[in-house]
Amino acid sequence: MDLLSNLALGFSVAASLENLLFCLIGVILGTLIGVLPGIGATATIAMLLPITFQLEPVSSLIMLAGIYYGAQYGGSTTAILINMPGESSSAVTALDGYQMARRGKAGTALAVAALGSFFAGTVATLLVALFAPPLTAVALQFGAAEYFSLMVLGLVCAVALAHGSFLKALAMVVLGLLLGLAGTDIYTGAPRFTLGLPQLADGFNFVALAVGVFGISEILRNLEHGQGDREVLGQNLGGLFPSRADLRRMVAPMIRGTALGSALGILPGGGAVLAAFGSYTIEKRLSKTPEEFGKGAIEGVAGPESANNAGAQTSFIPLLTLGIPANPVMALMVGAMIIQGIVPGPNVATEQPDLFWGIIASMWIGNLMLIVLNLPLIGIWVRLLKVPYHVLFPIIIAFSSIGVYSVKGNVFDLYAVAAFGLLGYVFLKLRCEPAPLLLGFVLGPLLEENLRRAMILGRGDPTVFLTRPISAGLLVLTLAVIAVMLLPQVRRKREEVFVEED
């Protein structure tokens, strides 16, 4: 009964006129961002963080969450119509979705993607509602030692699931941790790593770093590659609703994809991306006609789309229960909560239940909005795909700069955006994924604070991390992840997945 009463509270919050409006804005904006390749949900949320300062905490987080899972929907549209995924998790959808579009079944492919996403989103939202409260109860037992061990596990998982080599991913995490240390020491009040600049007394601006590394660098990469005219296959969509035969073929892949995505979405790093590729591999192996994959198999759209959307939704579980981000977007959500004066973690559920359950309820409302809006608006998205990039990018940069400046009114932050943008571009050229850097930057100060607090409580004895059962268990799990990462078979399989994605 507690679950039902909590959900009733959540829906009463999410269904208010103001929150419905911001949820609608979020999902439409997210779909738009997903449809336009080269921008991405991470960069968009980073750019919009300054705007959320003026909103109520519940409204701002509902809107940002809507942008995230709306982008998962929108990413499939470009993958199907122009063979260019708007989101990395939609890359596998292009393999069969685009081939279906070339055969005159673009409408069916888009409908399958939307239905699979809605089903996965609904199931994943229920899982969040079911598992978040008990996990919150467990998290309330955590002390400084347990939080430190949990964050170490999270960072190791981020390295394991990052694109490219382990060494590059590890280097990005370490760089993120070092950037997070700049500022004023939390215990002594002494400045450190500030280079003598008073502007760095509070550390690097989180928004400036996120916009630069994810937004500006992506714009530079797209300008380098050139985004000319693209062939759009949406002029004749065909029937929008799948036939009975199509429905029979897509049900099992949707269920399997949802289960896989729900499990992998919780993992730090790239759970949704890994789930989509894992689902595609599973469906191809289980299929009686594997030769159809890559030529327009409906299972190749239904399974991965369900997997990546389920993964996007369940990534909220560690955020809402532990305050630990599972991916760069969740790291931005942590930043948004801190900016609003909310301390992410298990206390949110007990101290601010309207916020906690309002976000969960808004996920289902957002998914319903997406399924109702997306298919009728396909014509608009098709026309938007023809907007030249040389028109879009100056507008994006201008709004990003205004947003970053509005946070503190500090010109130094604009220089930081430019510097981090160039740095992010260099990372992309070196094939270093920036996601581990952002996770390291967000978790670094928390990691340090809990390490020092645990050592103070343990009177300088480092065995405090091993004598507490939960902390020891998490560290053992961390070692197990490292051992699995080093297995030759696992490394080969991981390289195959990410080479396919590239």
Side-chain angles (χ1 to χ4, degrees):
M1 290 303 292
D2 283 345
L3 178 61
L4 292 177
S5 60
N6 286 330
L7 284 175
L9 170 65
F11 277 104
S12 69
V13 172
S16 70
L17 192 60
E18 182 183 5
N19 289 333
L20 283 175
L21 176 62
F22 283 110
C23 186
L24 180 63
I25 292 170
V27 296
I28 291 178
L29 193 56
T31 304
L32 171 63
I33 295 311
V35 164
L36 295 173
I39 302 174
T42 306
T44 305
I45 291 175
M47 294 170 189
L48 289 177
L49 273 183
I51 297 173
T52 64
F53 301 163
Q54 311 302 324
L55 304 177
E56 289 295 317
V58 180
S59 301
S60 63
L61 292 170
I62 283 175
M63 185 179 75
L64 294 178
I67 292 171
Y68 179 42
Y69 48 78
Q72 308 300 314
Y73 273 74
S76 62
T77 302
T78 44
I80 290 166
L81 296 182
I82 62 172
N83 200 26
M84 187 183 293
E87 287 292 306
S88 57
S89 54
S90 298
V92 71
T93 305
L95 299 176
D96 284 281
Y98 184 68
Q99 295 304 320
M100 288 180 71
R102 293 187 67 181
R103 286 161 45 187
K105 298 182 72 176
T108 302
L110 290 167
V112 168
L115 291 170
S117 297
F118 177 71
F119 174 77
T122 301
V123 173
T125 301
L126 287 172
L127 291 175
V128 173
L130 285 170
F131 288 106
L135 277 175
T136 300
V138 172
L140 287 170
Q141 309 301 316
F142 277 30
E146 286 81 6
Y147 268 111
F148 170 79
S149 301
L150 181 65
M151 289 174 194
V152 170
L153 173 61
L155 291 174
V156 169
C157 288
V159 171
L161 295 175
H163 301 194
S165 73
F166 288 129
L167 192 60
K168 288 179 180 178
L170 180 62
M172 296 299 282
V173 166
V174 172
L175 179 58
L177 291 171
L178 291 174
L179 289 172
L181 292 177
T184 303
D185 187 283
I186 55 175
Y187 285 101
T188 65
R192 58 185 186 184
F193 308 120
T194 59
L195 306 176
L197 298 171
Q199 294 93 337
L200 288 179
D202 293 330
F204 288 102
N205 187 329
F206 171 76
V207 179
L209 183 141
V211 171
V213 171
F214 286 94
I216 305 301
S217 62
E218 280 294 330
I219 289 172
L220 292 174
R221 183 172 72 167
N222 280 285
L223 288 174
E224 178 193 19
H225 291 165
Q227 299 285 350
D229 295 331
R230 303 177 289 273
E231 181 191 6
V232 181
L233 299 178
Q235 311 304 321
N236 181 21
L237 292 173
L240 274 178
F241 201 78
S243 64
R244 286 187 179 181
D246 290 337
L247 287 171
R248 281 195 296 270
R249 289 178 62 184
M250 63 188 273
V251 169
M254 279 168 52
I255 294 171
R256 286 191 289 263
T258 300
L260 182 65
S262 297
L264 293 180
I266 302 171
L267 300 177
V273 178
L274 202 63
F277 280 86
S279 173
Y280 190 83
T281 303
I282 289 169
E283 295 309 322
K284 190 172 182 179
R285 288 185 178 178
L286 293 178
S287 176
K288 295 177 182 177
T289 54
E291 66 279 359
E292 285 187 19
F293 280 74
K295 299 177 183 177
I298 198 167
E299 296 89 344
V301 176
E305 275 301 300
S306 300
N308 84 56
N309 277 273
Q313 306 277 53
T314 56
S315 63
F316 280 86
I317 291 177
L319 171 72
L320 293 173
T321 58
L322 303 169
I324 305 295
N327 55 48
V329 172
M330 292 301 109
L332 292 169
M333 296 285 280
V334 168
M337 293 172 81
I338 293 171
I339 285 163
Q340 292 280 3
I342 300 165
V343 179
N347 289 327
V348 173
T350 53
E351 294 174 4
Q352 294 180 289
D354 54 336
L355 173 72
F356 184 87
W357 290 101
I359 292 173
I360 292 174
S362 75
M363 293 180 192
W364 188 82
I365 293 174
N367 275 282
L368 184 62
M369 287 180 176
L370 285 165
I371 195 74
V372 171
L373 290 173
N374 258 8
L375 295 179
L377 294 179
I378 286 296
I380 295 174
W381 306 137
V382 168
R383 283 192 287 275
L384 277 172
L385 286 171
K386 298 182 178 179
V387 176
Y389 270 85
H390 68 267
V391 173
L392 284 174
F393 285 151
I395 298 171
I396 294 169
I397 291 175
F399 276 105
S400 301
S401 302
I402 292 168
V404 170
Y405 180 76
S406 69
V407 176
K408 293 182 179 177
N410 191 346
V411 176
F412 178 81
D413 291 339
L414 296 178
Y415 291 116
V417 168
F420 283 124
L422 291 173
L423 188 64
Y425 176 70
V426 171
F427 291 151
L428 292 174
K429 297 295 287 184
L430 295 174
R431 301 180 70 80
C432 294
E433 190 189 4
L437 182 146
L438 187 63
L439 291 172
F441 181 77
V442 170
L443 292 179
L446 299 172
L447 188 77
E448 181 201 9
E449 182 181 351
N450 283 290
L451 170 64
R452 293 173 71 173
R453 186 181 296 164
M455 291 295 285
I456 290 170
L457 293 172
R459 298 184 178 183
D461 183 5
T463 60
V464 67
F465 299 104
L466 301 176
T467 54
R468 296 175 67 94
I470 297 176
S471 175
L474 290 169
L475 289 176
V476 168
L477 190 56
T478 302
L479 292 174
V481 171
I482 294 172
V484 170
M485 281 165 51
L486 297 176
L487 291 175
Q489 186 178 358
V490 172
R491 295 184 70 172
R492 281 196 303 271
K493 190 64 181 175
R494 179 181 175 279
E495 287 168 8
E496 285 173 17
V497 168
F498 289 125
V499 165
E500 269 190 65
E501 182 184 342
D502 294 338

